[in-house]
Amino acid sequence: MSNTAAIVGGGVIGGGWAARFLLNGWNVKVFDPDPESERKMGEVLANARIGLPMLYDCALPDEGRLTRHKSISDAVRESAWVQESVTERLELKHKVISEIQAENPNVAIGSSTSGFKPSELQDNAVNPGRILVAHPFNPVYLLPLVELVPSRSTSDHAIETAKRILSSIGLSPLLVRREIDAHIADRFLEAVWREALWLVKDGIATTREIDDAIRYGFGIRWAQMGLFETYRVAGGEMGMRHFMSQFGPALKWPWTKLMDVPELTDELVNMIAEQSDRQSGHVSIRELERKRDRNLIAIMRALKQQGTAAGRLVKEHQKRMRPQLASAKPIISTRRTIPCDWTDINGHMNEGRYGQIFSDAAEEIMAFIGADDDYIAAGMSYFTVETTIRYINETHAGEMVEVHTLVTQGEGKKLRCFHELKRMENNDLLATCDQMMLHVSLTTRRTCTPADHVREKVEELAALHAEDIS
Amino acid sequence: MSNTAAIVGGGVIGGGWAARFLLNGWNVKVFDPDPESERKMGEVLANARIGLPMLYDCALPDEGRLTRHKSISDAVRESAWVQESVTERLELKHKVISEIQAENPNVAIGSSTSGFKPSELQDNAVNPGRILVAHPFNPVYLLPLVELVPSRSTSDHAIETAKRILSSIGLSPLLVRREIDAHIADRFLEAVWREALWLVKDGIATTREIDDAIRYGFGIRWAQMGLFETYRVAGGEMGMRHFMSQFGPALKWPWTKLMDVPELTDELVNMIAEQSDRQSGHVSIRELERKRDRNLIAIMRALKQQGTAAGRLVKEHQKRMRPQLASAKPIISTRRTIPCDWTDINGHMNEGRYGQIFSDAAEEIMAFIGADDDYIAAGMSYFTVETTIRYINETHAGEMVEVHTLVTQGEGKKLRCFHELKRMENNDLLATCDQMMLHVSLTTRRTCTPADHVREKVEELAALHAEDIS
């Protein structure tokens, strides 16, 4: 049986939550009386269906079922999690929480609020212990950070439930030690936003120049190490104390206007809006969203390949979703979506990526026959010595594909596979690969005989797949 | 004849400048009396030699010559650019600038200062018009941003020289419209740093938690779009004005302690140093540097594939470095470094990437025979229908490789190539690829006859390569 989450408030943030739950196999029940909500959520969901599957090198679980409900009590009934993302008005949040707890007093409630502390949300609640802040970042279906802020009244059980459920849908809960206005990340965003407004107002830089100052410099640094580790590296062998003693004094210099807030006059708002139009006005918001998502996916996939930062989180989530292969004829060795970083100048999947899909398929087969990560760590593996790939049909980013694999030879050091890459939508054959691998010692880098359990499994598959090969 | 840059002050920043100039083919003359300078610069240069070539899919120019000099006048003589990166003390900078201009009064001088304005540097200078701030970001050899800050006295000619020279070594000069303390980016860093110190001091978050709050959330967003474009997307169809009216009021909320600066007491410094040790103390600074560089390279390569943000800059620089192929037997169709995002679970280059190298080699051949970007944009191209790759030797990230290509068949719609991938260091044969391509119409996605100039060039190469094939 699938789990069910209730989404109360279905705008861009609520829609992002709904998408993340649905695409991770949860059923989602939505309450939002706004007549525009269905359309808005639909657009977020459309982006998420394109984007999220591209993060992973295996298929996501079957999508859950989305239903819309006319009352909060209908939506939250029998839900294992409620995510509240209504407008930032405290009395509205209180009303919503009281309706949720009237129906389902023990369900854990996460609030997407950036403006309120959990203790404020808990005021007068029937069951304050089940309420905490779960503050996500847009786009919620891609970015892994969620700030989890309990108050002193939030129960440990609710905190543990939140951690478990949110981790299971690929988020990385950051438990904030003490409640504080704006939690953690938004304090930085607020600081940067204030400074940026002054720079524009004072004519030092335009919106585009400020964006460039961020994305060509410290923005790239922060995508991977954050602030302190970046400075630790900058401090060099002398360490963090040295860094602070060197740069600490500058803190006192009058570098900043932060202590002051610029008045948001019509003039300043117009100036920023006009600069922003010049910068990005030629691209629609929809296109900008898709571009943003492709960029985020490409960055997170790059970090995944390095096994670090947000990419490490994606990798761990992927590991939990990786399917077990079954002894069949053929074996379904891969099922995945073609990601947006695999296309080439012709607009279709680069020819090297066919090789990578077949190589990944072979890795799954290796794991299945016992030549898995532990086996490789212990010093043996299979190396590919020759592949012949026939390119039959084009494939494009976003398409779901499967690889069907037969073991066509399995004796001694030899493992030969024949792979067929198919588009799942219409079963079109996209490419085939005849792949010869040899078993090697990773110490000598020369061929050697596999361990018995591996050799036996290879022979068993070769025998199974040899029968009646057409 | 190579260009020559003088580097005055050779620490981490000066070393980064030296590396970027050298690896882009400039000769570099260094002045730094610190006995530790040679070692420090050597370490930066070692990292740069590993990292920078991995950013590009073609070889960098031949490295320039590095010389060290005993006086400033020796170093700056006949240099086309002087980069000053001495300690942040104004009287020292004045002394250095006066020595530079005593020898070479007309050379453009860029200062790496973050703490001083150009007008301050110009005080009492012989030729103030040639002085401006050129403020880079660490690691200088990888990050493209350089803030160019002229004063009113800086000449247009010096500004244009700075733009031209710094762009030519792969930097992206951001011209700051008016001089201001800390220029642009450091104002943001200062704001975030202050807020971060408070969060640690108040026990809201540890250094690791703050880093996670950045790199799992807005850090990834900022690596690609910066601040304003990110908010423009968040504002949705209603636009930037709507976003500001919605979030503007929060500016006035007491979310921040920015107006106040925490005292850097021993206690606070210790707290941060200890948290940082717990977070990253198990990894040496050298390892952290390499990890940072691999991450930055992987992110920038991912953005390059998307053709956007810092990746667009890398792509443009690469385009300028792309060599012209020559009609030879064989044709050297590719020369490049294996990047750090191309290795697999076995630690060597993933088998799919062999396919990509050969595919890239074929693209170079295509461009050479006239099937270039314009030809493709006009609706025709070659598609690969079959490849056979033999994997002969392993290759690893950081190795320089070459592809030698023969056109083994070139008639009608057919273009067949035989590629050999070689390690340049020892001429080891790493892999071969027999690749059959067919000429196609991108409209019908079916085969068709090439344009005459393409067909003729293909036939010419096939004839050249057919002679005496062994």
Side-chain angles (χ1 to χ4, degrees):
Chain A
M1 204 195 67
S2 289
N3 288 308
T4 300
I7 300 296
V8 178
V12 169
I13 296 299
W17 276 106
R20 192 177 264 281
F21 274 109
L22 279 171
L23 290 167
N24 277 284
W26 284 57
N27 293 327
V28 169
K29 298 165 78 179
V30 176
F31 170 77
D32 191 325
D34 176 2
E36 281 290 275
S37 157
E38 189 161 1
R39 181 186 63 80
K40 282 188 200 162
M41 282 188 68
E43 281 164 2
V44 177
L45 198 48
N47 281 344
R49 285 193 182 114
I50 294 171
L52 190 61
M54 292 189 183
L55 262 191
Y56 305 102
D57 296 296
C58 63
L60 288 166
D62 289 340
E63 192 174 315
R65 202 160 57 90
L66 177 76
T67 51
R68 300 186 66 87
H69 299 266
K70 291 218 161 64
S71 71
I72 288 182
S73 51
D74 276 358
V76 305
R77 192 171 303 134
E78 289 169 16
S79 290
W81 179 263
V82 179
Q83 186 68 33
E84 173 275 304
S85 314
V86 302
T87 310
E88 293 279 79
R89 286 191 291 116
L90 190 55
E91 71 282 10
L92 176 62
K93 299 215 182 244
H94 281 155
K95 185 166 165 287
V96 162
I97 288 170
S98 119
E99 288 185 40
I100 294 167
Q101 296 200 325
E103 171 68 35
N104 194 343
N106 289 315
V107 69
I109 305 173
S111 170
S112 304
T113 185
S114 51
F116 300 107
K117 293 186 286 232
S119 60
E120 294 173 287
L121 301 174
Q122 285 164 335
D123 272 347
N124 301 315
V126 174
N127 193 351
R130 306 298 288 162
I131 301 167
L132 75 174
V133 167
H135 177 239
F137 293 79
N138 192 43
V140 181
Y141 50 86
L142 287 181
L143 292 186
L145 180 64
V146 58
E147 293 173 324
L148 223 52
V149 197
S151 79
R152 283 165 195 235
S153 315
T154 307
S155 72
D156 288 349
H157 182 257
I159 297 173
E160 289 312 311
T161 302
K163 279 190 188 170
R164 180 175 46 77
I165 288 179
L166 302 181
S167 299
S168 79
I169 57 169
L171 288 166
S172 179
L174 176 62
L175 188 66
V176 179
R177 288 156 187 267
R178 220 145 49 72
E179 63 171 11
I180 176 183
D181 284 313
H183 327 314
I184 296 174
D186 277 7
R187 296 183 77 95
F188 298 124
L189 295 177
E190 166 85 3
V192 167
W193 181 238
R194 284 181 185 217
E195 197 69 33
L197 291 178
W198 278 116
L199 289 170
V200 174
K201 181 177 161 63
D202 292 348
I204 308 297
T206 64
T207 60
R208 171 193 284 277
E209 287 159 1
I210 288 170
D211 281 356
D212 286 349
I214 294 174
R215 69 198 183 128
Y216 296 163
F218 65 84
I220 324 179
R221 284 202 308 225
W222 285 358
Q224 46 101 34
M225 278 190 176
L227 181 72
F228 283 99
E229 201 166 53
T230 294
Y231 284 157
R232 185 186 179 90
V233 183
E237 285 153 11
M238 316 279 277
M240 202 64 199
R241 271 182 192 80
H242 171 72
F243 175 83
M244 292 187 69
S245 71
Q246 207 178 3
F247 290 93
L251 263 182
K252 299 272 183 177
W253 297 359
W255 271 5
T256 167
K257 281 193 163 180
L258 293 169
M259 40 289 280
D260 208 357
V261 183
E263 199 67 49
L264 275 191
T265 58
D266 285 353
E267 198 190 341
L268 179 55
V269 171
N270 276 336
M271 189 191 278
I272 289 177
E274 279 162 20
Q275 288 184 5
S276 174
D277 284 350
R278 273 201 298 281
Q279 179 183 356
S280 328
H282 57 291
V283 190
S284 78
I285 294 294
R286 288 288 154 263
E287 283 169 80
L288 276 181
E289 281 174 354
R290 302 273 163 93
K291 184 178 164 186
R292 173 200 62 190
D293 286 2
R294 285 195 305 268
N295 291 343
L296 293 174
I297 292 161
I299 290 172
M300 284 195 275
R301 288 183 57 84
L303 290 170
K304 178 167 69 158
Q305 199 279 333
Q306 297 298 312
T308 192
R312 188 178 54 76
L313 307 176
V314 173
K315 200 170 180 175
E316 285 165 5
H317 192 47
Q318 177 173 303
K319 214 167 194 171
R320 290 193 298 265
M321 295 189 296
R322 191 173 167 182
Q324 287 299 310
L325 301 199
S327 236
K329 183 183 174 185
I331 295 173
I332 312 285
S333 53
T334 295
R335 181 173 291 159
R336 61 165 304 145
T337 299
I338 307 299
C340 56
D341 53 336
W342 282 20
T343 53
D344 68 9
I345 193 174
N346 285 315
H348 57 205
M349 185 166 82
N350 181 280
E351 108 196 28
R353 300 299 186 168
Y354 289 82
Q356 186 172 342
I357 288 187
F358 293 128
S359 159
D360 291 348
E363 248 175 53
E364 295 293 334
I365 296 286
M366 280 169 58
F368 183 56
I369 61 176
D372 54 11
D373 290 358
D374 292 342
Y375 189 82
I376 292 168
M380 294 199 284
S381 188
Y382 280 94
F383 282 1
T384 299
V385 293
E386 187 168 326
T387 52
T388 296
I389 298 178
R390 288 181 55 227
Y391 304 87
I392 295 160
N393 270 300
E394 298 173 65
T395 179
H396 303 89
E399 291 179 341
M400 279 278 282
V401 295
E402 250 179 22
V403 178
H404 296 194
T405 300
L406 292 174
V407 174
T408 50
Q409 190 176 9
E411 48 188 40
K413 303 166 183 174
K414 288 184 186 168
L415 171 58
R416 187 172 185 175
C417 292
F418 184 75
H419 309 281
E420 291 188 325
L421 177 67
K422 299 193 166 192
R423 180 165 25 234
M424 289 183 67
E425 192 191 354
N426 54 9
N427 215 30
D428 270 357
L429 183 62
L430 302 169
T432 64
C433 176
D434 182 3
Q435 178 184 32
M436 175 59 88
M437 289 178 276
L438 292 178
H439 188 270
V440 294
S441 153
L442 293 173
T443 319
T444 63
R445 313 308 268 189
R446 289 167 177 278
T447 60
C448 68
T449 314
D452 285 345
H453 69 287
V454 170
R455 188 182 42 75
E456 282 160 22
K457 187 79 184 168
V458 168
E459 287 167 1
E460 178 193 318
L461 283 178
L464 171 69
H465 291 169
E467 295 163 20
D468 303 312
I469 275 198
S470 57
Chain B
M1 201 196 70
S2 288
N3 288 309
T4 300
I7 301 296
V8 179
V12 169
I13 296 299
W17 276 106
R20 193 177 263 280
F21 274 109
L22 280 170
L23 291 167
N24 277 284
W26 282 58
N27 293 327
V28 169
K29 298 165 78 178
V30 176
F31 170 78
D32 191 325
D34 176 2
E36 280 291 275
S37 157
E38 189 161 1
R39 182 187 63 81
K40 283 187 202 164
M41 282 188 68
E43 281 164 5
V44 177
L45 197 49
N47 281 345
R49 285 191 181 117
I50 294 171
L52 190 61
M54 292 190 185
L55 262 189
Y56 305 102
D57 296 295
C58 64
L60 288 167
D62 289 341
E63 191 173 316
R65 202 160 57 89
L66 177 77
T67 51
R68 300 187 65 89
H69 299 266
K70 291 221 161 62
S71 71
I72 287 181
S73 51
D74 277 358
V76 305
R77 192 171 302 133
E78 288 169 16
S79 290
W81 179 263
V82 179
Q83 186 67 34
E84 173 275 303
S85 314
V86 304
T87 309
E88 292 279 79
R89 286 189 292 116
L90 190 55
E91 71 281 9
L92 175 62
K93 301 218 179 240
H94 282 157
K95 184 167 166 286
V96 162
I97 288 170
S98 118
E99 288 184 42
I100 295 167
Q101 296 200 326
E103 172 66 36
N104 194 342
N106 290 315
V107 69
I109 305 173
S111 170
S112 304
T113 185
S114 51
F116 299 106
K117 293 186 286 232
S119 60
E120 294 172 289
L121 302 174
Q122 287 165 333
D123 272 349
N124 302 315
V126 175
N127 191 352
R130 305 299 287 160
I131 300 167
L132 75 176
V133 168
H135 177 240
F137 292 79
N138 192 42
V140 182
Y141 50 86
L142 287 181
L143 292 186
L145 181 64
V146 58
E147 291 173 324
L148 224 53
V149 197
S151 80
R152 281 161 197 238
S153 315
T154 307
S155 73
D156 289 348
H157 181 257
I159 297 173
E160 290 312 312
T161 302
K163 279 190 190 172
R164 180 176 46 77
I165 288 178
L166 301 183
S167 299
S168 80
I169 57 169
L171 287 165
S172 179
L174 176 63
L175 189 65
V176 179
R177 288 155 187 268
R178 224 149 41 76
E179 64 171 11
I180 175 182
D181 284 314
H183 327 315
I184 296 174
D186 277 7
R187 295 182 77 94
F188 298 125
L189 295 177
E190 166 84 4
V192 167
W193 180 237
R194 284 183 185 215
E195 197 68 34
L197 291 179
W198 278 116
L199 289 171
V200 174
K201 181 177 161 63
D202 293 347
I204 309 296
T206 64
T207 59
R208 170 192 285 278
E209 288 160 0
I210 288 171
D211 281 356
D212 286 348
I214 295 173
R215 70 199 181 126
Y216 296 163
F218 66 84
I220 325 179
R221 285 201 306 225
W222 285 359
Q224 46 101 32
M225 279 191 176
L227 181 71
F228 284 98
E229 200 165 52
T230 294
Y231 284 157
R232 184 188 179 89
V233 183
E237 285 152 9
M238 316 280 276
M240 202 66 197
R241 271 181 191 80
H242 170 73
F243 174 83
M244 292 186 68
S245 71
Q246 207 178 3
F247 290 93
L251 264 181
K252 300 273 183 177
W253 297 0
W255 273 5
T256 168
K257 282 192 164 181
L258 294 168
M259 40 288 281
D260 207 359
V261 183
E263 200 65 50
L264 275 190
T265 59
D266 285 353
E267 199 190 340
L268 179 55
V269 170
N270 276 335
M271 189 190 280
I272 289 176
E274 280 162 20
Q275 288 183 6
S276 173
D277 284 350
R278 272 201 300 280
Q279 179 184 356
S280 329
H282 57 291
V283 190
S284 78
I285 294 294
R286 288 288 154 266
E287 284 169 80
L288 277 180
E289 281 174 354
R290 301 273 163 93
K291 185 178 164 188
R292 174 199 63 191
D293 286 3
R294 285 195 304 267
N295 292 343
L296 293 175
I297 291 160
I299 290 172
M300 284 194 275
R301 289 183 57 83
L303 290 169
K304 178 167 69 155
Q305 199 278 334
Q306 297 298 311
T308 191
R312 187 178 55 76
L313 307 175
V314 173
K315 200 169 179 174
E316 284 165 5
H317 191 48
Q318 178 174 302
K319 212 166 194 172
R320 291 193 297 266
M321 295 189 296
R322 191 174 167 180
Q324 287 298 311
L325 301 199
S327 236
K329 183 182 174 185
I331 296 173
I332 312 284
S333 52
T334 297
R335 182 173 288 159
R336 60 167 304 145
T337 299
I338 306 299
C340 56
D341 54 337
W342 282 19
T343 53
D344 68 8
I345 194 175
N346 286 316
H348 57 205
M349 185 166 80
N350 181 280
E351 85 191 55
R353 299 299 186 169
Y354 288 81
Q356 187 173 341
I357 288 188
F358 293 127
S359 159
D360 291 349
E363 249 176 52
E364 295 293 335
I365 297 287
M366 280 169 58
F368 183 55
I369 60 176
D372 54 11
D373 290 357
D374 292 343
Y375 188 82
I376 292 168
M380 294 198 284
S381 187
Y382 281 94
F383 282 1
T384 299
V385 292
E386 186 168 326
T387 52
T388 295
I389 299 178
R390 288 181 55 227
Y391 304 86
I392 295 159
N393 270 301
E394 299 172 66
T395 179
H396 303 89
E399 292 179 341
M400 280 278 281
V401 295
E402 251 180 19
V403 177
H404 296 195
T405 300
L406 293 173
V407 174
T408 50
Q409 190 176 9
E411 47 189 38
K413 304 167 184 175
K414 287 185 187 169
L415 172 58
R416 187 172 183 173
C417 291
F418 184 76
H419 309 281
E420 291 189 324
L421 177 68
K422 297 191 166 193
R423 181 169 20 236
M424 288 182 68
E425 192 190 354
N426 54 11
N427 214 29
D428 270 356
L429 183 61
L430 302 170
T432 64
C433 176
D434 183 1
Q435 177 184 32
M436 175 59 87
M437 288 177 278
L438 292 178
H439 188 271
V440 293
S441 152
L442 293 173
T443 319
T444 64
R445 314 307 269 188
R446 288 167 178 280
T447 60
C448 68
T449 314
D452 284 347
H453 69 287
V454 170
R455 188 182 43 75
E456 282 160 22
K457 187 78 184 170
V458 167
E459 287 168 1
E460 178 192 317
L461 283 178
L464 172 69
H465 291 169
E467 294 162 18
D468 304 312
I469 274 199
S470 56

